[in-house]
Amino acid sequence: MMQNVHLAPETDEDDLYSGYNDYNPTYDTEELENDTAFQQAVRTSHGRRPPITAKIPSTAVTRPIATGYGSKISLTSSMGRPMTGPIQDGVTRPMTAVRAAGFTKAALRGSAFDPLGQSRGPAPPLEAKNEDSPEEKIRQLEKKVNELVEESCIANSCGDLKLALEKAKDAGRKERVLVRQREQVTTPENINLDLTYSVLFNLASQYSANEMYAEALNTYQVIVKNKMFSNAGRLKVNMGNIYLKQRNYSKAIKFYRMALDQIPSVHKEMRIKIMQNIGVTFIKTGQYSDAINSFEHIMNMAPNLKAGFNLILSYFAVGDREKMKKAFQKLIAVPLEIDEDDKYISPSDDPHTNLVIEAIKNDHLRHMEHERKAMAEKYIMTAAKLIAPVIETSFAVGYDWCVEVVKASQYVELANDLEINKAITYLRQKDFNQENEFAQASSYADSAVNSDRYNPSALTNKGNTVFANGDYEKAAEFYKEALRNDSSCTEALYNIGLTYKKLNRLDEALDCFLKLHAILRNSAQVLYQIANVYELMEDPNQAIDWLMQLISVVPTDCRALSKLGELYDSEGDKSQAFQYYYESYRYFPSNIEVIEWLGAYYIDTQFCEKAIHYFERASLIQPTQVKWQLMVASCFRRSGNYQKALDTYKDIHKKFPENVECLRFLVRLCTDIGLKEVQEYATKLKRLEKMKEIREQRIKSGRDGSGGSRSKREGSAGSDSGQNCSASSKGERLSARLRALPGTNEPYESSSNKEIDASYVDPLGPQIERPKTAAKKRIDEDDFADEELGDDLLPE
């Protein structure tokens, strides 16, 4: 075993750490600054070439390594090929391989490394624009045209339509100059069509905004007829809108349909809007079946509130009950597309979240949502009030159907409003029995009083139920008790005043209203009641003073103005009476009493031509009343226009062939003028008078034959007389004013009252006074029907 063991001598022992300090001189980078070959390579393009990779010497091939420190021995590649380095035999090799990239020998020899070209110095200055060149002039003019169009649009948005039109015209003039200059410099294909289109379109829009419809249509025609403008056919919608404003409905429909044909089906929203315009135009022309087709298509494709409401109107016009119901259900089902109110409720106490919610509660989007919801509610309420009387056998049943539909929809909160509107409709129709469930109201009032005997609202409502039954003394006791419990209960104080008026205790009523006036200084209802009490007390001066205060609060109330005119007329002050009657007529030109007074006033003052206007207005309001047309003819005759009077009498005779007064005047006028028709009219007059005598004899003989039937016929005749003459004191007062006009001996003025019908009942006449309910703040809507000023105080 030992023979195989060889011990190494100590002299041959190798150093384990030898060779660690030896390194290849190729990697010596500390002396690169002194290496001339390396610095020369950096200054030339050779320095930017990829480095030559030198292989590590192996045992197979031994090659020297050329460095800046050793002898300049040519390097050989691994294949034995001599290396084409930058220095060979002490001579710089020409760089022919980079000539194709744009380098030259001069640039390579001795050039410094300057990749950014900083050695060349600053760049030369920019060449100055030649403002006199045609291209620059065209560019500046085009910029000016664009500025004018923008200024025109801004002026329109600010409401200055005149300035907007002037800017649009100026832009049009400069654009035409631009086109001529461009044609001289370039080919016609280079003309800016977009600029021309925008100038013409803005000009047409400004013409339309200034109601210069002919100029707007001409400008739109220029755009539409130019085939170089793409999609110009859509502007026919604007042309249709102009024709609609001009009430040229046939052309409006024509242009709407032409625009609809040129708009592709992908533009769904635009097509829906055009179809809605077509439907509205059909409604204006009375072609409801065509309008229904348009709105039904819209409601099937993209339902919206306006189309649904217009569809209901169209069905209402044709009287289709079932379709009205279906359309109302479609209107209810239209989505509002608004956020729920829960979004604006903070879910936590995070201050940052609360600040964000407070910020968005009243932003523009929130306002838009409120407006959209209000519009939807308005359409639904209006549609319900419109169709309720006709969709069922009665108004109440129809309204109940609408209420049930609304309760099952997203507008459930509108159900209560519809119920209130139902009751208000009954009140406006003066059909109190429909809502007057006095027994139930009295029962609820008793329950309220029993639960809280000291509640003034409960006592006031209990007094109202007693007042409605006619027990005014007991009603006053409840009102007084309400005032003892709460001296500020204005409803109870007002109702006590009404109660004292009913009991004819005018002094006490006046004290109540004066106390109420001290609390409610500008209450129009209270002022009216004080004036009315003074009138009942036969103190017209005080009544006039309080009515003047009322006019200062509500200067447009036609009823107060006519009452002032009536009081001044009773005092003999015709000029003041005329002033207030005329103001009343100006605010409400349908009051027959006021119209008749004004006509009589002009006849009294010998201005018959002015009286004609008022009697013609009365004949329009009451076309079946012959007396107004007779007054018109009489005014023509009084003013000396006999031909016009004759024509008017002839028209009256055609409408009322059995009117004796008209025939008498025809006979008189034809005799005075010498017309041949006099014999014809005289024959008709004699025949009518004879028939009238026979009728009167039959009535007289019938009265003499039977006492019972006599009394019955007298009652019938009396009612007929009351109907034709004056069933009310107001009708008698009106007829007396007409009979008091000059020329009372004329036949039409002195004829029987049956022929001159004055049975018109003024809707603004005295109304039933009812006590105030404490549940609502409206003090007395019947006694002051023309102004709705405030509601009653709500109960606690």
Side-chain angles (χ1 to χ4, degrees), residues 651-709:
D651 292 339
I652 296 173
H653 179 64
K654 291 179 182 178
K655 296 177 183 178
F656 306 94
E658 296 185 359
N659 187 270
V660 177
E661 287 78 4
C662 180
L663 284 172
R664 287 176 182 172
F665 276 111
L666 282 173
V667 171
R668 179 185 298 181
L669 286 175
C670 290
T671 302
D672 294 341
I673 301 176
L675 298 178
K676 296 180 180 180
E677 294 94 333
V678 63
Q679 187 61 39
E680 177 185 354
Y681 293 130
T683 303
K684 292 181 179 181
L685 179 60
K686 289 181 180 180
R687 185 169 61 251
L688 285 177
E689 289 178 344
K690 187 175 182 179
M691 292 174 62
K692 185 177 180 181
E693 291 177 0
I694 295 172
R695 191 182 302 113
E696 290 177 353
Q697 290 176 0
R698 289 179 179 175
I699 294 174
K700 185 177 180 181
S701 61
R703 289 175 181 174
D704 295 339
S706 174
S709 61

Side-chain angles (χ1 to χ4, degrees), residues 58 97 124 159 163 168 174 275 394 477 515 528 567 588 593 610 665 682 694 698 733 795:
S58 63
L163 178 62
K174 284 184 169 52
M275 292 196 67
S394 66
E477 293 299 326
K515 290 178 183 178
Y528 176 80
L567 290 175
F588 183 58
E593 181 182 358
K610 293 185 177 181
F665 276 111
I694 295 172
R698 289 179 179 175
R733 186 167 63 251

Side-chain angles (χ1 to χ4, degrees), residues 715-735:
S716 176
S719 63
D720 181 61
S721 174
Q723 181 183 1
N724 294 331
C725 179
S726 56
S728 64
S729 60
K730 183 178 292 186
E732 292 175 358
R733 186 167 63 251
L734 299 184
S735 298

Side-chain angles (χ1 to χ4, degrees), residues 538-546 571:
E538 298 181 356
D539 190 350
N541 293 327
Q542 285 289 341
I544 289 174
D545 291 342
W546 285 97
E571 291 295 303

Side-chain angles (χ1 to χ4, degrees), residues 506-525:
L506 300 179
D507 291 333
E508 298 177 64
L510 183 61
D511 290 339
C512 293
F513 290 126
L514 288 175
K515 290 178 183 178
L516 194 58
H517 175 64
I519 301 173
L520 306 174
R521 302 295 300 179
N522 294 322
S523 173
Q525 294 90 339

